[in-house]
Amino acid sequence: MVVEREKVRIHILLVDDDARLQTNVRDFLEPYGCRITSMRSGRGVEAAVREQQPDIVLLDVMLPDDDGFVVLRRLRGVSALPVIMLTARGNDADRIVGLEMGADDYLPKPFNPRELLARIKAVLRRSSTPPDAAPREQSRDTLTVGSIRLDLKRQRLERGERSVQLTTTEFRIIRAFMGRPDEVLSRDQIQTLAFGENYYCNDRNIDVYVSRARTILRKLCEESPIHTVWGAGYRWISDEGDGLPPA
């Protein structure tokens, strides 16, 4: 079968100690315009990201030295680069831990390489395409609700002198809420606002993303402005008069 090659190449850093998987992934993805840089160890991933400047990282959970969660934690300390976790264990606990730590997606082994390619493209679309326009956006560069400010260009969340660098997924989730403060948003609405109408993830993923956003907000606010509305979804409560400590 002749495969039509894509003009735009995607540079992928693949971190997995399975030589056969590396070969299979490379053989399938390269005709679709992907360039693969491979590593078999989690050590040195941060340096590889700085030197190789990949577009996305495929990171195995079970590595021979530091496991993928340790590597992800270190990577998130220096980069918001999109990361898809790969695992042979495939249980919900691993998936939830990975998403809570800042992974953008999670794919259990064995996987269909076509699904891997679809996941890669979906994650990259999310990281490069702005979410739906938000009615409370005051300028091209910032979005402010009460004392919390979202820098739209640098993907940084700020309050007073404090600031937190966000991953693309964290940025999109928080931006969805800040664009519609005081509105009750269902999980479907959050998904559409954050990722677009053509993206699908299950309700549990949305709950994990929201949990991650709350954890980040507590670093700035002590109490997260995102509240659960039982049976309906979630709501961002503006901090004017809600008892949040001053910035």
Side-chain angles (χ1 to χ4, degrees), residues 36 46 52 85 116 130 242:
I36 313 296
E46 304 98 300
Q52 300 291 333
M85 302 292 290
L116 174 62
D242 71 351

Side-chain angles (χ1 to χ4, degrees), residues 194-244:
F195 306 125
E197 294 182 357
N198 296 324
Y199 178 77
Y200 171 77
C201 60
N202 61 42
D203 286 351
R204 182 54 178 151
N205 281 22
I206 294 296
D207 291 339
V208 172
Y209 294 151
V210 172
S211 174
R212 177 67 181 167
R214 283 170 157 168
T215 298
I216 291 166
L217 285 159
R218 291 188 190 102
K219 295 178 182 179
L220 302 180
C221 307
E222 298 178 15
E223 178 183 347
S224 169
I226 299 177
H227 293 239
T228 300
V229 180
W230 297 108
Y234 298 95
R235 177 187 179 197
W236 178 295
I237 297 180
S238 302
D239 64 355
E240 295 94 346
D242 71 351
L244 284 180

Side-chain angles (χ1 to χ4, degrees), residues 30-141:
E30 283 185 343
Y32 286 92
C34 299
R35 177 163 66 94
I36 313 296
T37 297
S38 299
M39 299 179 63
R40 296 188 180 182
S41 167
R43 294 176 183 173
V45 168
E46 304 98 300
V49 166
R50 288 194 301 270
E51 295 167 5
Q52 300 291 333
Q53 297 187 344
D55 300 302
I56 191 169
V57 177
L58 304 181
L59 178 60
D60 187 25
V61 170
M62 300 178 68
L63 293 169
D65 41 36
D66 296 334
D67 70 30
F69 297 134
V70 173
V71 176
L72 178 62
R73 184 182 295 110
R74 292 201 307 260
L75 185 58
R76 281 293 171 250
V78 298
S79 173
L81 190 70
V83 175
I84 297 178
M85 302 292 290
L86 308 174
T87 182
R89 296 188 293 210
N91 57 56
D92 284 346
D94 280 352
R95 177 174 59 84
I96 291 168
V97 168
L99 294 174
E100 286 180 337
M101 291 177 62
D104 295 273
D105 206 345
Y106 207 94
L107 189 60
K109 300 177 183 178
F111 50 78
N112 186 314
R114 292 186 181 278
E115 181 179 2
L116 174 62
L117 179 59
R119 298 284 189 102
I120 290 170
K121 289 182 175 180
V123 169
L124 291 177
R125 277 197 302 270
R126 283 166 21 205
S127 64
S128 62
T129 306
D132 292 351
R136 280 288 299 266
E137 188 170 322
Q138 293 90 346
S139 74
R140 288 184 179 180
D141 300 335

